[in-house]
Amino acid sequence: MTTTTTLADVAAISLGAVRTLEGYGLDYCCGGKQPFREACLAKGLTPDAVMEEIQYALESGAKGKDRQTAPLGQLARHIIATHHEYLKLELPTLGNRLNKVHSVHGARDPETLDRMLEVFGALREEMELHMHKEEVMLFPFIEQYGRAEARGESMPPVPFGSIATPIGVMEREHASAGDALGQIRALTNNYELPPYACTTVRTLYAGLEALEADLHVHIHLENNILFPRAIALESR
Ligand SMILES: [Fe+2]
Ligand SMILES: [Fe+2]
């Protein structure tokens, strides 16, 4: 670890590292470019102690599959099968739940619930389009890169000049999704249940919090592992 090691670098070590960072509230995802040391110190944490915990998780076998060396196509397919499929199911479910809460309790807490509806609606629309773009445009090229690498061939040309161009767009959309989730977290007071919370409100809040956690891992796998590996292959 050097002074320029970022949170994203640390998160890329293993899924155990991701869990440790998450446990300390260190934003490895949208704030992944922050230096690890400074981010720890800003939270009153000792960087070496956090790093020791990550090493321990790694040595005790708690590490996830090695995403740094997994074939690129396999990683892209894992992201689709796990995180995209999850969002395709959860976004409509949570949308319906939120509509129900809004229609039942909207009059009691109009400011929060109107805004929730707006922010969630925009997040859902953006993410559905975003995943479509990844699945039909970007990931197929990343898979081709992975195959070319495995065969020792040079990288096939891409229609958008450089793979970094669509990746830049995806990263901006990730930041926007992270922002929407932050707004939802603030609107719900960190998912603190309101006094009128019925079962639907409880399941809505639990679902939104789970969505946030899943999206963080999803964005981490793309921003910190899949995309940098594809960019590195192109410039090889
Ligand atoms: Fe994705
Ligand atoms: Fe993405």
Side-chain angles (χ1 to χ4, degrees), residues 101-146:
V101 169
H102 185 268
S103 67
V104 177
H105 302 291
R108 208 182 320 220
D109 195 358
E111 255 174 57
T112 310
L113 290 172
D114 284 1
R115 189 76 192 119
M116 287 263 287
L117 216 55
E118 245 172 73
V119 176
F120 181 83
L123 170 72
R124 178 179 170 183
E125 204 177 307
E126 184 173 47
M127 280 316 293
E128 284 172 346
L129 191 60
H130 174 88
M131 288 188 290
H132 181 72
K133 286 187 266 189
E134 287 181 338
E135 288 174 25
V136 305
M137 286 162 36
L138 179 58
F139 285 15
F141 284 102
I142 292 184
E143 288 209 34
Q144 282 186 27
Y145 272 27

Side-chain angles (χ1 to χ4, degrees), residues 1-230:
M1 182 174 58
T2 68
T3 48
T4 56
T5 304
T6 64
L7 287 174
D9 295 332
V10 175
I13 296 174
S14 70
L15 278 183
V18 166
R19 278 187 218 105
T20 307
L21 294 176
E22 224 152 30
Y24 284 114
L26 292 162
D27 178 13
Y28 59 88
C29 181
C30 302
K33 295 199 165 67
Q34 293 173 85
F36 170 75
R37 266 184 189 285
E38 280 169 32
C40 286
L41 295 173
K43 287 217 175 266
L45 302 163
T46 313
D48 288 341
V50 177
M51 195 43 99
E52 244 171 63
E53 197 175 318
I54 289 167
Q55 290 301 341
Y56 177 77
L58 200 62
E59 282 153 23
S60 60
K63 65 175 176 177
K65 287 189 194 121
D66 195 348
R67 308 285 183 213
Q68 290 291 5
T69 52
L72 222 45
Q74 190 182 313
L75 181 54
R77 287 191 296 277
H78 163 80
I79 291 171
I80 294 174
T82 319
H83 302 289
H84 287 201
E85 291 311 314
Y86 170 84
L87 283 176
K88 285 175 199 168
L89 286 174
E90 273 309 284
L91 289 170
T93 307
L94 291 174
N96 291 340
R97 231 176 258 166
L98 178 57
N99 284 338
K100 190 171 162 196
V101 169
H102 185 268
S103 67
V104 177
H105 302 291
R108 208 182 320 220
D109 195 358
E111 255 174 57
T112 310
L113 290 172
D114 284 1
R115 189 76 192 119
M116 287 263 287
L117 216 55
E118 245 172 73
V119 176
F120 181 83
L123 170 72
R124 178 179 170 183
E125 204 177 307
E126 184 173 47
M127 280 316 293
E128 284 172 346
L129 191 60
H130 174 88
M131 288 188 290
H132 181 72
K133 286 187 266 189
E134 287 181 338
E135 288 174 25
V136 305
M137 286 162 36
L138 179 58
F139 285 15
F141 284 102
I142 292 184
E143 288 209 34
Q144 282 186 27
Y145 272 27
R147 282 196 292 272
E149 184 194 24
R151 295 191 196 122
E153 294 166 357
S154 56
M155 294 304 129
V158 289
F160 18 75
S162 163
I163 200 105
T165 308
I167 284 177
V169 178
M170 295 303 112
E171 285 177 339
R172 279 196 292 283
E173 291 176 359
H174 291 165
S176 158
D179 200 55
L181 288 165
Q183 284 185 53
I184 293 174
R185 186 168 265 287
L187 281 166
T188 57
N189 236 329
N190 285 318
Y191 297 106
E192 191 187 302
L193 290 168
Y196 58 79
C198 56
T199 311
T200 315
V201 175
R202 284 172 201 278
T203 50
L204 173 69
Y205 277 32
L208 286 169
E209 208 169 2
L211 181 94
E212 183 189 46
D214 189 85
L215 201 65
H216 280 165
V217 175
H218 175 180
I219 293 177
H220 155 68
L221 289 175
E222 292 175 358
N223 277 14
N224 300 339
I225 302 179
L226 186 73
F227 296 166
R229 283 186 58 193

